[in-house]
Amino acid sequence: GLVIERIGRRPLLIFGFSSMAVFFSLLTVFLNFQDSVSWVPYLSYICILAVIAGFCSGPGKATTFLQTALI
């Protein structure tokens, strides 16, 4: 709760959705190349964890305020 009040809801939402979009894009690329290189599936796991972290840092904290924070 203190993080939301200190930083603000809008920057947290923007950061959360932006990081989720970036890591979902990277996950798509890594899933396409996972058969060609043996270590690429590990990058896919890291991207999944990063998407979860992005959700927890942004929209996961302010889901009840999502409609009003973006307006």
Side-chain angles (χ1 to χ4, degrees):
L2 295 174
V3 173
I4 294 173
E5 295 300 322
R6 179 111 173 141
I7 297 174
R9 290 184 186 98
R10 185 173 293 184
L12 285 175
L13 287 173
I14 292 171
F15 170 74
F17 282 126
S18 301
S19 66
M20 287 171 51
V22 167
F23 286 114
F24 271 129
S25 301
L26 287 174
L27 179 63
T28 303
V29 171
F30 292 150
L31 287 176
N32 284 329
F33 292 115
Q34 74 179 0
D35 293 334
S36 61
V37 182
S38 64
W39 49 268
V40 173
Y42 297 112
L43 295 176
S44 299
Y45 298 141
I46 291 171
C47 282
I48 291 170
L49 293 175
V51 166
I52 293 170
F55 178 78
C56 291
S57 67
K61 290 184 179 183
T63 53
T64 58
F65 305 106
L66 187 60
Q67 297 289 333
T68 59
L70 293 177
I71 296 175

